[in-house]
Amino acid sequence: MKPSSLALLAAAGLLAAACGPAEPTHAPKPATTPLATATAELREVELATTAEAVVEAVRQSTVSAQVSGRIVDIRFDVGDRVEKGAVILRIDERAASQAVAASEAQVREAEAALVNARAQFERTRQLLAQKFVSQAALDKAEADYKAAESRMKATLAGAGAAATEKSFTTIVAPYSGVVSARHVQLGEMASPGKALLTGFDPTGLRVVATVPSAQVPAIQAGARARIEVPSLARWVDVKSVTVVPSADPRTHTTQVRLDLPDNAKGLLPGVFARAHFVTGRAPRLMVPREAVLRRSEVTAVYVVGADGAPRLRQVRTGTAADEKSIEILAGLKAGEKVALDPVKAGMAATPAS
């Protein structure tokens, strides 16, 4: 064989060795953490009638002006805490002060006229006893005296009205609470009836629900209810249930008031809530709330099988619920395990599952 052929064979061997399959390596797979699961269980729960409701303050009011004048002082704003009797706003009182001064001068004038009329009446009575004047003169003096008394009383009443009018220029808080709205600005003109500030007492809250009139007997028989606040993911037990003794003839609905406990902190008037009126007890299939996945119109859970693999399954939920669990009407059987973290279960699930 020629030397050139040997060189070509050697080069081909080296190239084949360089391009040949590499030694297979087996990288260890990362260990997966088992999913936290819970078992769907059939248990007896309280049945409830649900109604949409709203939180409101038992004491909520809008303070309005009673006199006209320019607003010269605003001491509180939205969100401020106000104690009962505290001055919250002042209206220019100069005109009212002048009216008070005028009424006081009229009182002094009427008082002097009354003193003079009384003295004239006494003198006329003495002169009549001495036969110096007639009975008609005494009658006139007595009438003048009584008229002076009446004018004195009317003047005192006018002075009191002027003083009361002046007191209306200082607006005080009718009760302790929180300012929820301010309707005026410094320097604006106030007029009788114009809203100034709105406030409420946060220590007294209730929930008002509107229910069909046909459900009122069951609600009154149960006399128990719980409040769900979806925005806070919170449930609150109510102190009492009061059914308003009237119904709307157009909608055939009745209002129900539910008084909240004093420790119901974090709730504000106007917050949406759901009222759950307990009407009985029955067995229901329940799963933890955190296991339920809601995406648009799909409600589902990840069911964890014997092999530990999560599989998405669509379910239909019911009305029985509390702060920890929710009822499953279809799609799940008692004893099946569901993943408590749907996001983590979705990442672990395979496309085929």
Side-chain angles (χ1 to χ4, degrees):
M1 185 177 293
K2 296 181 179 181
S4 58
S5 299
L6 293 175
L8 288 174
L9 290 175
L14 291 174
L15 183 60
C19 297
E23 186 73 21
T25 58
H26 300 282
K29 295 182 179 180
T32 58
T33 304
L35 293 172
T37 61
T39 303
E41 57 180 354
L42 190 67
R43 57 186 175 88
E44 191 176 71
V45 297
E46 292 180 339
L47 301 182
T49 298
T50 304
E52 294 185 352
V54 65
V55 180
E56 70 174 22
V58 177
R59 290 199 296 177
Q60 177 171 323
S61 56
T62 298
V63 179
S64 302
Q66 293 180 268
V67 295
S68 299
R70 187 170 60 88
I71 298 173
V72 296
D73 187 15
I74 301 177
R75 300 191 176 184
F76 295 94
D77 205 346
V78 175
D80 292 342
R81 174 79 185 186
V82 183
E83 297 299 326
K84 180 180 180 180
V87 176
I88 58 179
L89 186 144
R90 289 185 183 275
I91 298 173
D92 190 356
E93 64 178 16
R94 288 177 295 178
S97 298
Q98 293 297 325
V100 170
S103 63
E104 290 176 348
Q106 291 173 353
V107 168
R108 289 191 293 269
E109 179 185 2
E111 188 175 14
L114 177 62
V115 171
N116 182 53
R118 184 187 297 115
Q120 183 65 27
F121 173 66
E122 293 296 335
R123 284 194 298 267
T124 304
R125 187 166 55 180
Q126 292 174 4
L127 290 174
L128 178 64
Q130 298 174 8
K131 307 296 184 179
F132 288 122
V133 295
S134 64
Q135 181 65 38
L138 178 62
D139 293 342
K140 184 179 183 305
E142 183 179 6
D144 291 343
Y145 172 55
K146 291 182 178 179
E149 275 188 329
S150 298
R151 285 193 296 271
M152 182 65 184
K153 291 178 181 179
T155 306
L156 286 174
T164 302
E165 194 85 356
K166 180 183 177 181
S167 69
F168 291 156
T169 60
T170 301
I171 313 299
V172 299
Y175 50 81
S176 299
V178 177
V179 179
S180 59
R182 191 181 78 177
H183 307 288
V184 294
Q185 301 294 332
L186 189 66
E188 288 187 5
M189 283 296 297
S191 58
K194 183 173 184 178
L196 303 175
L197 296 172
T198 299
F200 68 94
D201 183 4
T203 61
L205 297 176
R206 67 187 176 197
V207 171
V208 178
T210 302
V211 301
S213 299
Q215 297 178 358
V216 170
I219 293 173
Q220 290 177 324
R224 290 181 56 211
R226 301 190 73 196
I227 298 301
E228 178 189 4
V229 185
S231 60
L232 301 177
R234 182 178 173 188
W235 288 65
V236 181
D237 293 323
V238 303
K239 292 194 302 184
S240 61
V241 178
T242 303
V243 178
V244 177
S246 62
D248 190 331
R250 295 173 299 175
T251 61
H252 304 290
T253 57
T254 301
Q255 281 195 348
V256 181
R257 295 175 178 175
L258 303 102
D259 294 325
L260 298 179
D262 298 334
N263 60 354
K265 298 180 180 179
L267 298 181
L268 296 173
V271 172
F272 171 77
R274 291 191 185 95
H276 299 269
F277 301 97
V278 178
T279 57
R281 297 181 67 87
R284 292 291 185 269
L285 183 63
M286 309 294 288
V287 297
R289 280 182 171 271
E290 60 266 30
V292 179
L293 176 68
R294 300 181 189 273
R295 291 293 183 269
S296 185
E297 298 180 357
V298 176
T299 303
V301 296
Y302 276 97
V303 180
V304 180
D307 57 355
R311 294 173 176 83
L312 185 66
R313 186 185 299 176
Q314 191 170 351
V315 296
R316 184 158 60 94
T317 58
T319 58
D322 54 28
E323 63 270 31
K324 294 182 179 179
S325 56
I326 189 170
E327 177 188 6
I328 301 296
L329 295 177
L332 200 62
K333 295 185 296 184
E336 290 186 302
K337 293 184 178 181
V338 295
L340 293 178
D341 190 344
V343 175
K344 186 177 179 180
M347 296 173 64
T350 61
S353 62

